[in-house]
């Protein structure tokens, strides 16, 4: 079946604008993760959704960042009033079970966000 | 502080040669260690996952080792191919689920 998909693949926006990044996880996967990868850096955890449980938002860097997961499937990461330091690749991953087990994470291709 | 450090930062080898990538970690309590391959412009893809009791695990030409006592892991690539050019990322999972990601080793295979 299809893997994790993300859209758009690239997004260029002006400083101060809001952006929405979309993630379509693998069908049936209950867990969904958002990460941020800056150039030359390791992945930075942002937020984790598991089924109907309250999401783990501990990785969100500021209140300008928020995410939703509708109907247990598609997720949207929203960044308000974007800043230049928000420029990065935003990766989404899903897994069949939550990572509290050995759930293997499958990654999407990412969205490259550039804030000018 | 939980950290994962990888070395070298980058590596260039000739096609057909072997190489070994290193990962040192200070994550505690430890749950498992994973190696991912990330092609340019793509998301990471899992190569291996190792628990505390596993010392060696192979996946084709990739062999990962884990020494939980010294908190070190290595990824050995045998008979490298051009398609092995990628970043290789070591990720350590804490027992309370958090994943700690290394910055990766950028490997370039030259013909």
């Amino acid at each position: 079946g299809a893997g994790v998909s993300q859209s758009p693949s690239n997004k260029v926006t002006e400083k101060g604008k809001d952006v929405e990044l979309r993630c379509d996880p693998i069908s049936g996967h209950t867990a969904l993760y958002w990460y941020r990868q800056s150039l030359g850096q390791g992945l930075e955890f942002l937020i984790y959704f598991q089924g109907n449980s309250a999401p783990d938002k501990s990785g969100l860097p500021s209140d300008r960042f928020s995410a939703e997961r509708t109907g247990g499937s598609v997720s949207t990461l929203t960044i308000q009033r974007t800043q230049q330091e928000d420029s990065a690749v935003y990766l989404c991953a899903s897994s069949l079970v939550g990572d509290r087990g050995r759930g293997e994470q499958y990654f999407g291709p990412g969205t490259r966000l550039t804030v000018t | 502080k939980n950290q994962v450090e990888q070395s070298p930062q980058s590596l260039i080898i000739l096609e057909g040669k072997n190489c070994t990538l290193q990962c040192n970690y200070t994550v505690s309590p430890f749950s498992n260690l994973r190696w991912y391959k990330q092609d340019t412009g793509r998301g990471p893809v899992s190569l291996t996952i190792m628990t505390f009791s596993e010392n060696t695990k192979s996946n084709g030409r990739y062999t990962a080792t884990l020494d939980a006592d010294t908190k070190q892991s290595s990824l050995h690539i045998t008979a490298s191919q051009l398609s092995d050019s990628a970043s290789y990322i070591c990720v350590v999972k804490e027992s309370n689920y958090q994943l700690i990601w290394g910055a990766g080793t950028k490997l370039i295979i030259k013909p």
Side-chain angles (χ1 to χ4, degrees):
Chain A
V4 177
S5 60
Q6 292 185 243
S7 61
S9 56
N10 281 284
K11 177 71 176 178
V12 180
T13 189
E14 291 181 352
K15 178 182 173 181
K17 299 286 188 184
D18 298 350
V19 294
E20 282 190 354
L21 312 179
R22 177 188 169 104
C23 172
D24 283 86
I26 293 173
S27 178
H29 280 195
T30 61
L32 185 146
Y33 312 77
W34 282 99
Y35 295 91
R36 178 168 71 174
Q37 187 174 31
S38 300
L39 190 64
Q41 303 295 315
L43 271 69
E44 175 189 3
F45 166 76
L46 296 177
I47 189 169
Y48 161 66
F49 295 91
Q50 171 56 47
N52 295 321
S53 302
D56 176 358
K57 304 179 182 180
S58 60
L60 295 179
S62 77
D63 59 8
R64 295 187 296 105
F65 288 72
S66 63
E68 291 184 340
R69 189 178 185 192
T70 54
S73 180
V74 172
S75 177
T76 302
L77 176 70
T78 301
I79 309 173
Q80 295 179 310
R81 304 182 301 283
T82 52
Q83 303 295 313
Q84 287 185 328
E85 60 262 30
D86 299 335
S87 296
V89 175
Y90 289 81
L91 288 162
C92 173
S94 70
S95 66
L96 189 58
V97 296
D99 209 38
R100 286 174 174 81
R102 285 180 54 143
E104 186 60 66
Q105 293 186 36
Y106 296 85
F107 284 82
T111 293
R112 180 175 296 279
L113 175 66
T114 303
V115 182
T116 61
Chain B
K1 180 182 176 183
N2 288 325
Q3 285 186 313
V4 175
E5 294 186 351
Q6 294 188 241
S7 62
Q9 197 171 40
S10 62
L11 180 63
I12 302 174
I13 64 172
L14 292 176
E15 184 180 11
K17 298 295 186 182
N18 304 335
C19 66
T20 300
L21 315 180
Q22 300 291 342
C23 172
N24 296 338
Y25 62 92
T26 59
V27 178
S28 181
F30 172 89
S31 177
N32 60 53
L33 183 147
R34 309 165 187 221
W35 283 94
Y36 283 87
K37 178 186 178 187
Q38 185 175 22
D39 293 311
T40 301
R42 306 291 294 274
V45 174
S46 178
L47 294 176
T48 67
I49 177 171
M50 302 177 72
T51 59
F52 185 88
S53 59
E54 295 174 303
N55 300 120
T56 302
K57 184 171 279 191
S58 292
N59 178 0
R61 294 179 297 101
Y62 300 102
T63 299
T65 66
L66 174 64
D67 186 334
D69 292 331
T70 62
K71 298 187 176 182
Q72 296 179 324
S73 176
S74 67
L75 181 69
H76 185 76
I77 304 174
T78 304
S80 61
Q81 301 176 359
L82 297 179
S83 58
D84 293 331
S85 293
S87 287
Y88 291 84
I89 306 172
C90 175
V91 186
V92 180
K93 182 187 169 190
E94 280 186 301
S95 295
N96 65 350
Y97 84 82
Q98 186 174 2
L99 296 179
I100 313 297
W101 292 74
T105 292
K106 185 175 176 64
L107 176 64
I108 298 173
I109 310 297
K110 291 201 166 183

